[in-house]
Amino acid sequence: MKYYLIAGEASGDLHASRLMHELKRRDHRAEFRFYGGDAMKAEGGVLVCHYSKLAYMGFVQVALHLQEILTGMSRCKKDIACYQPDAVILVDYPGFNLGIAKWVKKHLSAKVVYYISPKIWAWKEYRLKDIRKYVDCMLSILPFEVDYYKQHNYDVTYVGNPTVDELEPLRVGEFSREEFCKKHDLNVNQPIIALLAGSRKAEVKGNLPVMLEAATRFTCHQVVIAGAPGLTREFYQPIIDSFRTVPPVKLVFGETYDLLRSAQVAAVTSGTATLETAFLNVPQVVCYQMGGGMIAYKIMEFVLRKIRYVSLVNLLLDSPAVVELLGPYLTAKRLHSELSRIIDDCAGRRTMLSEYERMRSILGAPGAPVRAAETIIEMLKTK
């Protein structure tokens, strides 16, 4: 079978690569072309466009790069038409991917599969109409989405969450913090604050300065930033240089999970990383900075009025297990205070870790890419 996949960011690239791996195991004639990243490229096939060229979010960023995005979409449609795949597999990234789904259903006979549902339960519920019309198979990775879609007369399949597959072996496996510290010239006897500032340039520029200002106030902690895939050291360095500390702030690439396993606490930009941090049992404060101050925040609050929380951890638990500092409420003073509270409050940490355990139970057993691949192949057999 011929598969065309589209992933628009680092987490989608990783999840899509695992799905590709399982598709190859079950379909020995599998061929791939894709918009994606390095993880997908490592699985083989043809990388048509790297997600870093199109990874824009928020009204302002999209508006500034609209022509680039539209050009990318046009090229993607032409490439799909030339390739003539049996299935087009869309991974999150709804603004781009739903446009592709509509075009595919109107012009080709390929099946359209959505792996990792758009978060229409949070906002833009009107997209449900297009999903019903243009998506043949929706594969969900969040269990509460099954009931949500069922209430709207659309059946989806919960295949499990790929984070479980990626992180369960790390959570229960052996790990040497001493080796990680030695590798990065860190003091093994000094606690670490991990900073996960997002995967896109705009996110990092908004969140990292506040995170650094808060974290570098801790004189007894080392501060380590997790570099995002697709971004360079040169991009981070000017931000880091504005916070000269002793010991200096460290930046590591490709070792986010080892960093988290080495950290006492983390400040994490809202997104998949909050789920990963929780899965690895690291106490955290969830952050999200945005421009526009209180006015922009109130607009966001109105848009997201149907949900009580923003972070995946709290959404899964339906309770405030982790503190969310959003928009104007994300200040260096408030973040420092919340990190201090976690560090000093042993009972609070135990409660948070207990909630993490409940979250892992809700997510279920490993096997999401396996179940997703089996569902796709079974669907194609009846094409």
Side-chain angles (χ1 to χ4, degrees):
M1 294 286 185
K2 296 167 69 176
Y3 304 91
Y4 201 105
L5 298 94
I6 303 172
E9 60 183 353
S11 61
D13 173 43
L14 178 60
H15 297 329
S17 72
R18 301 293 172 85
L19 175 60
M20 290 166 65
H21 182 80
E22 296 301 332
L23 285 170
K24 287 192 298 183
R25 289 182 60 193
R26 288 155 181 79
D27 179 0
H28 300 300
R29 295 184 178 182
E31 298 177 22
F32 301 107
R33 283 180 74 87
F34 47 89
Y35 271 43
D38 299 334
M40 296 168 74
K41 186 177 179 180
E43 287 296 332
V46 178
L47 173 60
V48 180
C49 178
H50 198 284
Y51 68 78
S52 61
K53 296 181 179 179
L54 296 171
Y56 304 111
M57 65 177 295
F59 177 80
V60 174
Q61 285 296 312
V62 171
L64 289 173
H65 298 91
L66 183 58
Q67 188 56 52
E68 189 176 348
I69 294 169
L70 292 175
T71 299
M73 183 175 287
S74 177
R75 289 175 178 170
C76 184
K77 292 174 181 177
K78 290 177 182 177
D79 196 60
I80 294 173
C82 291
Y83 187 55
Q84 289 291 311
D86 296 287
V88 175
I89 302 173
L90 311 172
V91 185
D92 203 357
Y93 198 39
F96 189 97
N97 275 338
L98 284 175
I100 295 296
K102 180 177 181 179
W103 182 88
V104 169
K105 295 307 292 182
K106 286 186 174 181
H107 295 91
L108 303 176
S109 61
K111 292 289 187 180
V112 175
V113 178
Y114 222 120
Y115 181 49
I116 306 180
S117 166
K119 298 175 180 62
I120 61 170
W121 36 265
W123 71 316
K124 296 188 178 181
E125 192 171 82
Y126 63 82
R127 285 174 167 165
L128 181 60
K129 180 180 178 181
D130 286 345
I131 289 173
R132 282 201 192 100
K133 198 169 182 180
Y134 305 121
V135 176
D136 297 299
C137 177
M138 177 67 76
L139 304 176
S140 167
I141 65 168
L142 297 172
F144 61 79
E145 289 179 335
V146 175
D147 287 339
Y148 169 82
Y149 276 106
K150 190 173 184 179
Q151 291 170 7
H152 291 82
N153 300 311
Y154 184 79
D155 291 331
V156 305
T157 301
Y158 176 64
V159 294
N161 195 291
T163 298
V164 179
D165 295 82
E166 292 151 17
L167 298 186
E168 180 64 12
L170 300 181
R171 189 180 72 85
V172 301
E174 294 183 2
F175 172 70
S176 173
R177 183 178 183 274
E178 183 175 349
E179 289 183 10
F180 177 83
C181 289
K182 183 178 179 180
K183 179 178 179 181
H184 296 288
D185 194 26
L186 294 162
N187 185 344
V188 71
N189 297 314
Q190 194 173 6
I192 292 171
I193 299 176
L195 304 183
L196 283 65
S199 61
R200 300 178 177 92
K201 286 184 178 181
E203 284 181 331
V204 175
K205 287 179 178 178
N207 289 288
L208 186 55
V210 182
M211 289 178 171
L212 281 169
E213 187 178 345
T216 53
R217 293 182 183 182
F218 291 92
T219 57
C220 296
H221 286 70
Q222 302 168 101
V223 179
V224 185
I225 302 166
L231 301 184
T232 65
R233 186 171 295 274
E234 289 71 27
F235 168 76
Y236 285 94
Q237 204 59 52
I239 305 174
I240 295 172
D241 287 344
S242 61
F243 294 90
R244 296 191 179 278
T245 60
V246 179
V249 172
K250 299 286 186 178
L251 172 65
V252 301
F253 285 91
E255 298 180 77
T256 299
Y257 299 152
D258 285 350
L259 168 58
L260 285 171
R261 290 195 287 177
S262 302
Q264 181 187 33
V265 66
V268 187
T269 294
S270 182
T272 305
T274 63
L275 187 63
E276 295 169 334
T277 302
F279 203 90
L280 290 174
N281 260 355
V282 184
Q284 66 180 301
V285 178
V286 175
C287 308
Y288 201 84
Q289 185 59 273
M290 65 184 75
M294 186 58 73
I295 293 175
Y297 176 78
K298 289 299 182 182
I299 293 172
M300 182 197 75
E301 197 173 45
F302 174 77
V303 170
L304 300 180
R305 63 192 180 279
K306 292 186 177 181
I307 60 173
R308 297 170 62 191
Y309 309 106
V310 170
S311 69
L312 287 172
V313 179
N314 290 345
L315 284 166
L316 283 163
L317 292 167
D318 195 26
S319 68
V322 297
V323 170
E324 300 177 353
L325 300 181
L326 312 174
Y329 296 102
L330 175 58
T331 64
K333 182 179 179 180
R334 179 72 188 278
L335 178 56
H336 178 267
S337 175
E338 293 296 341
L339 290 171
S340 297
R341 184 183 59 80
I342 293 174
I343 291 168
D344 297 336
D345 184 2
C346 294
R349 282 201 307 278
R350 285 196 297 270
T351 298
M352 188 180 293
L353 298 182
S354 176
E355 287 290 86
Y356 285 175
E357 181 62 35
R358 186 164 70 90
M359 180 201 75
R360 288 191 289 269
S361 176
I362 290 170
L363 288 174
V370 172
R371 290 186 284 271
E374 290 174 346
T375 302
I376 292 169
I377 290 174
E378 190 63 32
M379 178 193 67
L380 291 176
K381 285 180 181 177
T382 60
K383 182 179 176 182

